[in-house]
Amino acid sequence: MAEVAPRLHALVEQLLGAPFPVRVRAWDGSQAGPPDAPIVVVRGRRALRRLLFKPGELGLARAWVAGDLTVEGDLYTALDLLSGLIWQRGEDARTLGRALRDPDFRSAVRGLLKLAGPPLPPAPPREEVRRTGHLHTRRTDRRAISHHYDVGNDFYALVLGPSMVYSCAYWESGDSTLELAQRDKLELVCRKLDLRPGSRLLDVGCGWGSLAIHAAREHGATVVGITLSQEQAAFARKRVADAGLTDKVEIRVQDYRDVADGPFDAVSSIGMAEHVGSEKYLEYAHVLFALLRPGGRLLNHQIARRPQRDESAYGVDAFIDAYVFPDGELAPVGATVGQLERAGFEVRDVESIREHYALTLRRWVARLEAGWGRAVRLTSPGRARVWRLYMAASAVAFERNQIGVNQVLAVRTPGSGDSGMPLRARTWN
């Protein structure tokens, strides 16, 4: 039999209709492809069966999570080289239908089927979400949040570091430390919200309590932090107690739709709105508007995608949906601003910090890789692989302007028109 890697590399190029820019090493030890490129290691025929039975991103993700595929060399370079060929090609029914009418494509599929061996579809890795119920009910939202955040506080501490901030840091320079950049982000949020002694803040999706603690300790605010994760809440409450701030910070396990003790002077929503979903986003905006006093401010920190010519064609990223953020959705920043305005907000500032998230993610990946053995023990080999791929691929996506992240500052401006904002914008910088 001919060596596997040259056959496989040629078949992939035939399938894609383009050069395959990475090197391949197959289970028989053979290699093929550009000599100085990162190496995609195909550990066995099962990897091919995963790709054939679930073509596109989900099949690749399953092979990666199961350990059937891995990368040797620089993972970021490999993802950058592959992103235009695989993740941006589309995998909807129309795309697949056109491909199946191509004789070269069908020939390549037959060649891969022969290489893959007996056509038995492997079971998905156990880390994959099993989905039931309607999207974005209170029950399904709790389940989705639990899948993502209840991985274990020790695992998150390993990845995030002492700050325990799981959102984009704010970097004065790329040489800064992760801890300092996260502190600067917390301070930026507090300044944008104009927090002062006695200000009442609602932190929606409070995570492990870092913003709540910073707002209370550094600005004298009284804070209610809410999360749907039991593990986060327990960890945050302990941190609040250890900081001596139980008189200023309350952590609740509560859905934002169930908060009934407004009004608040300020609302922060940092990295939470991606979980809301397009159908529920206007409701989300209305709820936060109602929870603010007239003149109160909202800081909505949210990942955004690029707009599409046909927005009805938008589909949730298959890997992210199955393994990372179940039921999460991204929207263009313009759509987010529009929904906030429809709810009654006056949007006063939009700051893109896209490059900041790429820097943050690279630091998180470095921490994960440095503590790989412990990460595997704290979760599972598959879960650790999910996080490595998710964070590295996200860093590349931010760097390539495929996705962005924005802080939108909005005010519940009263009928008098007095927003309470300074004449000069960005005075918090």
Side-chain angles (χ1 to χ4, degrees), residues 71-111:
V71 170
E72 289 184 4
D74 187 75
L75 179 59
Y76 297 104
T77 300
L79 292 169
D80 195 34
L81 289 168
L82 292 171
S83 62
L85 284 174
I86 298 171
W87 285 276
Q88 295 177 43
R89 291 174 69 90
E91 53 189 66
D92 60 23
R94 289 170 296 178
T95 303
L96 187 57
R98 285 193 298 269
L100 288 173
R101 291 192 292 271
D102 184 329
D104 287 341
F105 183 91
R106 294 199 304 269
S107 173
V109 170
R110 287 194 296 271

Side-chain angles (χ1 to χ4, degrees), residues 41-340:
V41 181
V42 185
R43 296 189 180 278
R45 299 178 190 274
R46 188 172 66 172
L48 302 185
R49 292 199 289 273
R50 291 192 186 279
L51 294 171
L52 287 165
F53 279 95
K54 203 68 179 177
E57 185 175 332
L58 186 56
L60 283 167
R62 286 176 173 176
W64 174 273
V65 175
D68 299 330
L69 279 180
T70 190
V71 170
E72 289 184 4
D74 187 75
L75 179 59
Y76 297 104
T77 300
L79 292 169
D80 195 34
L81 289 168
L82 292 171
S83 62
L85 284 174
I86 298 171
W87 285 276
Q88 295 177 43
R89 291 174 69 90
E91 53 189 66
D92 60 23
R94 289 170 296 178
T95 303
L96 187 57
R98 285 193 298 269
L100 288 173
R101 291 192 292 271
D102 184 329
D104 287 341
F105 183 91
R106 294 199 304 269
S107 173
V109 170
R110 287 194 296 271
L112 287 172
L113 282 168
K114 187 174 181 180
L115 263 182
L120 297 175
R126 64 184 179 88
E127 289 81 5
E128 187 169 314
V129 172
R130 307 301 193 268
R131 192 169 277 97
T132 57
H134 297 289
L135 294 181
H136 302 298
T137 65
R138 284 166 170 77
R139 179 183 178 188
T140 57
D141 280 353
R142 281 196 302 272
R143 187 184 303 130
I145 293 298
S146 177
H147 172 85
H148 188 77
Y149 292 103
D150 290 343
V151 176
N153 294 326
D154 289 341
F155 175 80
Y156 275 102
L158 185 154
V159 174
L160 304 179
S163 71
M164 291 299 287
V165 179
Y166 184 41
S167 56
C168 176
Y170 197 72
W171 300 83
E172 291 297 328
S173 76
D175 296 329
S176 184
T177 66
L178 176 62
E179 196 68 18
L180 180 58
Q182 289 292 16
R183 186 200 178 282
D184 287 346
K185 193 274 297 297
L186 299 178
E187 182 63 16
L188 179 69
V189 170
C190 292
R191 289 181 180 275
K192 287 185 175 183
L193 290 172
D194 193 30
L195 296 183
R196 303 177 184 189
S199 294
R200 191 160 186 251
L201 169 66
L202 174 65
D203 186 19
V204 181
C206 66
W208 293 271
S210 299
L211 176 59
I213 291 169
H214 184 90
R217 184 175 56 210
E218 304 300 329
H219 294 267
T222 300
V223 187
V224 173
I226 59 172
T227 176
L228 296 180
S229 167
Q230 295 282 353
E231 287 197 29
Q232 280 188 335
F235 191 93
R237 288 170 183 148
K238 184 177 186 306
R239 292 181 74 197
V240 168
D242 290 345
L245 293 171
T246 52
D247 60 329
K248 286 188 171 294
V249 178
E250 178 188 3
I251 303 294
R252 304 174 185 168
V253 177
Q254 187 175 38
D255 192 291
Y256 71 92
R257 291 164 285 197
D258 296 329
V259 177
D261 54 336
F264 293 87
D265 299 298
V267 174
S268 54
S269 177
I270 313 298
M272 175 271 174
E274 298 88 341
H275 296 286
V276 172
S278 58
E279 291 187 6
K280 298 288 186 178
Y281 202 93
L282 186 57
E283 177 189 356
Y284 159 84
H286 275 298
V287 168
L288 299 190
F289 183 86
L291 286 168
L292 278 167
R293 64 163 177 80
R297 298 184 186 182
L298 164 69
L299 195 285
N300 190 79
H301 175 123
Q302 183 176 340
I303 298 172
R305 61 175 171 84
R306 302 293 297 169
Q308 298 184 354
R309 288 184 180 179
D310 178 8
E311 280 293 320
S312 67
Y314 167 67
V316 177
D317 182 283
F319 166 59
I320 299 294
D321 191 47
Y323 288 99
V324 186
F325 287 112
D327 305 341
E329 294 180 43
L330 301 184
V333 64
T336 296
V337 168
Q339 294 285 59
L340 293 174

